[in-house]
Amino acid sequence: MKKTTLCIFYFLFYIKVFGQTIGGVINIYTPVTGINCNKIDVVSSSGFSAGERVLLIQMKGAVIDTSNTLNFGTIANYNNCGNYEFATISTVTGNSVFLQKAVLNNYTISGYVQLIRVPQYVNATVGSSLTCLPWNGLAGGVLVFEVSGTLTLNSNIDVSGKGFRGGTMCQNPDGSCGSGYQDHFYPVTSGFGAEKGEGIAKVSVQRNGGRGPLGNGGGGGNKHNTGGAGGGNYTKGGLGGKQANFCPATPVGGTGGNDLNYSGNKLFLGGGGGCSDNNNGVGTPGTNGGGIVIISANTINGNSKSILSHAPNQVIVPNSIGDGSGGGGAGGAILMNVLNYASAVSMSANGGNGGGQNTSYSACFGPGGGGGTGIICLSNASTPANVTIQTLPGTAGLDMNTWSSCYNTSYGATGGIAGVGLKYNAVIPENTSTSVTNVNLGNDISLTCGQSAILNAGNPGAGYIWSTGATSPTITVTTPGNYWVTVSACGGTDSDTIQVSNVSNPITVILGRDTSIACNQSLILNSRIQGASYIWSTGATTSSITIFSPGQYWVTVNLCSATDSDTLIVSALNNPITIDLGNDMSIACNQSVVLNSGFPGGTYLWSTGATTSSITVSSPGQYWVAVSSCSAGDSDTILVSSSISPTTVDLGTDRNLKCTQGIMLSADVPGATYLWSTGSTSSSILVTDSGSYWVFVDACGTSDSDTILVSGKIGSDSDFEIPNVITPNGDGVNDIISLGSQDGSELNFAIYNRWGQKVAADNKKVIRWNGYFKNEALPAGTYFWVLEYNDECSDNEKITKKGYITVFH
């Protein structure tokens, strides 16, 4: 047992001291299912041991715009995507890997986080091509190792095509044109849009096809026969070519994958190229993006070898009936934490070329877009002399069919965007604190007046207690003082204190020169110091005040421990005032007049007791007003006399009632009071009966009265009163029947005996009958009478009235 241990120890000692030849795949990968401080839960801990180095890295999880607009695929939130760090294993228990230190960065587990075993070498030689497992959607795509001594390259290090996968699926079921298929996403199974290239975001199967980019993954081509777009990384990918020219040639090829933000300490796989629209089985998929290389070494002996993270170039469509061509993937990322370069080495992260066309069909089909560039990150401040850097974008595919009208053109496809993907002073993140918890608030700071500072305790997921009582990871301070924080995490605690001092400048308060203020005016006094605290002689605490009266005013201003005061004297500027109520005047009965002082803004006292600027009077008399304003005053008096005339009333001449109409009697005297013989007190009355009517009128102390005969009604049955008995015996009682027309119309009157003989008749305006006929008295008995006349109350209608009369002697 001891002998075996010695052999193993000797073998490891030999590897570390004398070096090891490496090649192929040297890393172990496992997806992460949970992170808690220094505990990493994984799918499988096989191959991970205590004391070994690991890389924790989040591959995906960004949030993108998923609207059906040109904004589809725009990155709204990286959501910890691209975060990574080195760590050392403490222990392994089951499928939980415990680190020696707490996790430094934040990670989103649903964002495809993986844990990678990092081999360590004292010296190492790359004897055959060194690479990594390709990214499979859960793990892979990263080559990472450490060499404490010298790394010698006798072969290339190459992770080309190991990054995000190109779109491969397009099941366009027919060859119809796609002018109506211009959306930015479709389900791939619909056949309306080819599969997008893979990127740092994930979408549902309802949006995995179509021309919109998938973050940095290139968009797929919409139908019909359009090209896929290039993937993006450090720069944006190119557009896919237009649809076949026997269609409307709508530019619905894939949209290039987006460029990614490397301003922070992040690393990303190259985006995959989009798939082409394919209905004849000869279209091409998008190519994969480049993978990630992370090397930490003291010295590299390059031997003119290369470290590569390219995206493969897409091929040309074979010589047959055409489909669209796929887009090229984007270059990957290379991070070199190396102190010395002993001999020449080249590093490149180029985008892949888009697919071209060379068909036997004379039409134009969409070539693929070129991929964007990758990035090379060096820990050096500049590019070392022995290092050659290259980050080139992929080119757009071309139509190579000499029979095509699009020969030697890219037919709408574009190359990836050019850019020098180079970053210096790169640092591999790692928690290097002496305990699981490490707090560093930084150097002491000074704040100028009005400034604030954010104090950050770091250690995501820990517990915090600040001197202010706050329990958050950060606090914002605006005042001087000593601030401390205690952080608890992973069973350990640490504290730190920072001093915040104040940088204050003296202030000068100037209210201005002494001044004066006119009556009823206002004046603004301004301290002219912003952001301070204020106290005025008036008790106000604002930066400025408005005054309305003379006096002595002062203000004291405090700004960041600096204080100053100033005083201003405001004197009165008074002008005499003149009050004029106007000329004496007279008013008629029941009139009123407004008396106005003519001076606004003063104080008023009228002879009536009123205190308003004007009054209304309706009776004669002498009126005065006294006005004062700002120590000035004046008064005036006005005489208001009466212009009353004697009251007279005239009801007019006596009048007759006609028919059944009434008569309106009016005694209209403005402003008067009335009393009629009927008891009414209105200015007029309506009479319908004959009689004598009078009115008494009183107005403004004078009075008058008048009377009128209103005669009886005309034209009604009561106008003619014919008795039913007549006694013409000469005794003066009931001797005569008298009928008269008051309007002057003629009356026809006839009397008949019982045999129907006319025994009396008359046709006059006034009829008088005494019981005689031809100067002879009629014998006693009963007679029949008939009266005829024209009734002017009924448009002169002829009226006939009949009756009986008995004659007695």
Side-chain angles (χ1 to χ4, degrees):
M1 184 69 178
K2 292 182 180 179
K3 194 173 185 179
T4 303
T5 305
L6 285 173
C7 290
I8 295 173
F9 173 79
Y10 176 78
F11 176 70
L12 294 175
F13 176 79
Y14 176 83
I15 290 174
K16 288 184 176 289
V17 174
F18 298 101
Q20 180 177 354
T21 300
I22 58 177
V25 176
I26 61 175
N27 297 112
I28 297 174
Y29 311 85
T30 182
V32 173
T33 59
I35 298 177
N36 183 9
C37 197
N38 67 329
K39 180 186 177 186
I40 312 298
D41 295 323
V42 296
V43 171
S44 173
S45 64
S46 178
F48 294 86
S49 302
E52 291 183 332
R53 300 280 281 163
V54 289
L55 173 71
L56 189 64
I57 183 168
Q58 181 170 329
M59 312 304 290
K60 302 176 80 169
V63 177
I64 61 172
D65 188 317
T66 57
S67 62
N68 190 22
T69 67
L70 288 172
N71 291 325
F72 184 96
T74 301
I75 300 168
N77 189 339
Y78 281 84
N79 205 22
N80 302 320
C81 180
N83 285 356
Y84 68 100
E85 61 187 272
F86 273 12
T88 302
I89 299 176
S90 174
T91 58
V92 177
T93 303
N95 284 332
S96 296
V97 177
F98 292 86
L99 307 179
Q100 292 180 356
K101 313 287 184 182
V103 171
L104 186 65
N105 294 319
N106 292 325
Y107 297 91
T108 306
I109 301 303
S110 60
Y112 303 87
V113 181
Q114 61 174 325
L115 187 68
I116 304 173
R117 179 181 175 272
V118 179
Q120 294 176 274
Y121 310 100
V122 175
N123 298 297
T125 299
V126 178
S128 60
S129 179
L130 184 61
T131 187
C132 65
L133 290 181
W135 168 254
N136 64 7
L138 293 175
V142 180
L143 167 63
V144 54
F145 61 98
E146 293 180 320
V147 180
S148 60
T150 299
L151 173 64
T152 301
L153 301 185
N154 289 336
S155 186
N156 291 339
I157 296 174
D158 192 354
V159 295
S160 298
K162 306 298 184 180
F164 286 134
R165 298 164 294 183
T168 60
M169 295 187 294
C170 180
Q171 301 175 12
N172 187 343
D174 56 55
S176 64
C177 293
S179 60
Y181 303 99
Q182 301 188 35
D183 287 352
H184 297 270
F185 60 82
Y186 295 99
V188 169
T189 55
S190 69
F192 303 149
E195 185 179 26
K196 306 174 188 294
E198 187 180 18
I200 62 174
K202 181 176 175 60
V203 293
S204 68
V205 294
Q206 300 300 315
R207 286 175 163 82
N208 62 355
R211 60 177 173 144
L214 195 55
N216 64 323
N222 289 7
K223 66 185 301 184
H224 174 62
N225 297 149
T226 56
N233 192 356
Y234 182 75
T235 65
K236 187 178 178 67
L239 299 173
K242 296 183 290 187
Q243 63 180 328
N245 66 344
F246 49 77
C247 294
T250 308
V252 289
T255 302
N258 287 293
D259 53 332
L260 301 180
N261 185 355
Y262 276 92
S263 61
N265 207 347
K266 291 179 178 288
L267 289 176
F268 304 100
L269 296 173
C275 191
S276 63
D277 180 76
N278 176 2
N279 68 294
N280 291 314
V282 296
T284 52
T287 66
N288 296 346
I292 295 174
V293 175
I294 304 175
I295 299 175
S296 181
N298 181 69
T299 301
I300 286 185
N301 187 5
N303 292 326
S304 298
K305 299 300 181 180
S306 299
I307 302 174
L308 309 172
S309 182
H310 297 164
N313 297 326
Q314 186 51 274
V315 298
I316 297 176
V317 172
N319 186 22
S320 64
I321 188 169
D323 278 324
S325 299
I334 300 173
L335 171 56
M336 303 297 292
N337 181 30
V338 177
L339 184 62
N340 303 301
Y341 291 87
S343 62
V345 63
S346 64
M347 305 173 193
S348 57
N350 299 336
N353 296 338
Q357 296 283 343
N358 188 11
T359 70
S360 59
Y361 198 75
S362 61
C364 302
F365 300 102
T373 72
I375 188 172
I376 298 173
C377 305
L378 302 177
S379 60
N380 314 88
S382 61
T383 304
N386 286 332
V387 175
T388 302
I389 299 297
Q390 186 183 70
T391 56
L392 299 176
T395 61
L398 299 176
D399 191 330
M400 304 306 295
N401 181 5
T402 57
W403 293 95
S404 171
S405 61
C406 306
Y407 172 66
N408 208 32
T409 72
S410 62
Y411 190 53
T414 61
I417 303 301
V420 180
L422 181 59
K423 182 176 180 181
Y424 297 116
N425 300 312
V427 176
I428 298 176
E430 182 174 3
N431 189 346
T432 59
S433 65
T434 58
S435 65
V436 175
T437 305
N438 180 38
V439 182
N440 183 7
L441 294 178
N443 298 326
D444 294 343
I445 59 175
S446 297
L447 299 178
T448 58
C449 186
Q451 276 190 328
S452 63
I454 297 176
L455 305 183
N456 192 331
N459 296 277
Y464 311 89
I465 181 65
W466 292 85
S467 53
T468 63
T471 57
S472 55
T474 63
I475 62 171
T476 300
V477 297
T478 58
T479 57
N482 288 329
Y483 296 88
W484 56 259
V485 65
T486 297
V487 179
S488 301
C490 305
T493 61
D494 194 18
S495 299
D496 193 23
T497 301
I498 187 173
Q499 182 179 17
V500 179
S501 57
N502 198 13
V503 178
S504 61
N505 297 316
I507 61 173
T508 302
V509 179
I510 301 176
L511 293 179
R513 296 179 178 178
D514 293 345
T515 186
S516 58
I517 184 172
C519 183
N520 298 314
Q521 278 189 333
S522 63
L523 182 65
I524 297 176
L525 304 183
N526 197 322
S527 68
R528 307 184 189 280
I529 303 293
Q530 299 300 316
S533 60
Y534 318 89
I535 180 65
W536 292 84
S537 52
T538 62
T541 57
T542 53
S543 61
S544 62
I545 61 172
T546 301
I547 63 171
F548 302 90
S549 59
Q552 180 173 291
Y553 297 89
W554 56 260
V555 64
T556 297
V557 180
N558 182 278
L559 181 64
C560 302
S561 303
T563 303
D564 193 29
S565 300
D566 195 23
T567 301
L568 179 71
I569 297 176
V570 179
S571 57
L573 180 63
N574 293 327
N575 295 317
I577 63 174
T578 301
I579 304 302
D580 184 6
L581 293 177
N583 297 327
D584 293 344
M585 63 180 70
S586 61
I587 55 175
C589 181
N590 295 310
Q591 275 189 327
S592 64
V593 66
V594 175
L595 303 182
N596 197 320
S597 67
F599 186 85
T603 57
Y604 315 90
L605 178 62
W606 292 85
S607 53
T608 62
T611 57
T612 54
S613 62
S614 62
I615 61 172
T616 300
V617 298
S618 57
S619 58
Q622 181 171 287
Y623 298 90
W624 55 260
V625 64
V627 181
S628 62
S629 178
C630 301
S631 303
D634 193 22
S635 62
D636 194 25
T637 300
I638 188 172
L639 178 63
V640 179
S641 57
S642 176
S643 58
I644 300 175
S645 301
T647 299
T648 59
V649 61
D650 184 6
L651 295 178
T653 60
D654 293 344
R655 302 173 65 185
N656 291 325
L657 290 167
K658 296 180 65 176
C659 305
T660 58
Q661 292 178 334
I663 296 176
M664 182 65 71
L665 302 180
S666 178
D668 190 19
V669 177
T673 59
Y674 310 90
L675 178 62
W676 292 85
S677 55
T678 63
S680 174
T681 58
S682 60
S683 62
S684 61
I685 62 172
L686 178 67
V687 298
T688 58
D689 295 313
S690 60
S692 177
Y693 298 88
W694 55 261
V695 65
F696 178 80
V697 180
D698 180 83
C700 299
T702 64
S703 61
D704 194 18
S705 63
D706 193 22
T707 301
I708 189 172
L709 296 169
V710 177
S711 61
K713 297 181 179 179
I714 299 175
S716 65
D717 291 346
S718 62
D719 292 338
F720 306 100
E721 297 181 0
I722 300 176
N724 55 9
V725 175
I726 185 173
T727 56
N729 52 15
D731 61 0
V733 178
N734 202 22
D735 288 333
I736 298 174
I737 295 175
S738 179
L739 302 175
S741 172
Q742 295 187 14
D743 63 354
S745 60
E746 291 186 346
L747 304 177
N748 295 317
F749 185 72
I751 296 178
Y752 300 88
N753 61 20
R754 60 182 176 175
W755 294 282
Q757 295 173 321
K758 184 184 292 186
V759 294
D762 204 350
N763 185 4
K764 297 179 180 178
K765 294 180 179 180
V766 177
I767 296 175
R768 297 172 64 85
W769 183 60
N770 58 3
Y772 281 73
F773 178 65
K774 295 182 180 181
N775 297 323
E776 293 183 4
L778 291 177
T782 300
Y783 295 85
F784 180 70
W785 60 265
V786 177
L787 173 66
E788 294 179 343
Y789 62 91
N790 293 329
D791 186 3
E792 68 174 2
C793 294
S794 300
D795 295 330
N796 290 320
E797 178 185 359
K798 186 173 183 179
I799 303 298
T800 301
K801 295 183 179 294
K802 300 177 182 180
Y804 294 92
I805 188 169
T806 301
V807 177
F808 291 102
H809 293 288

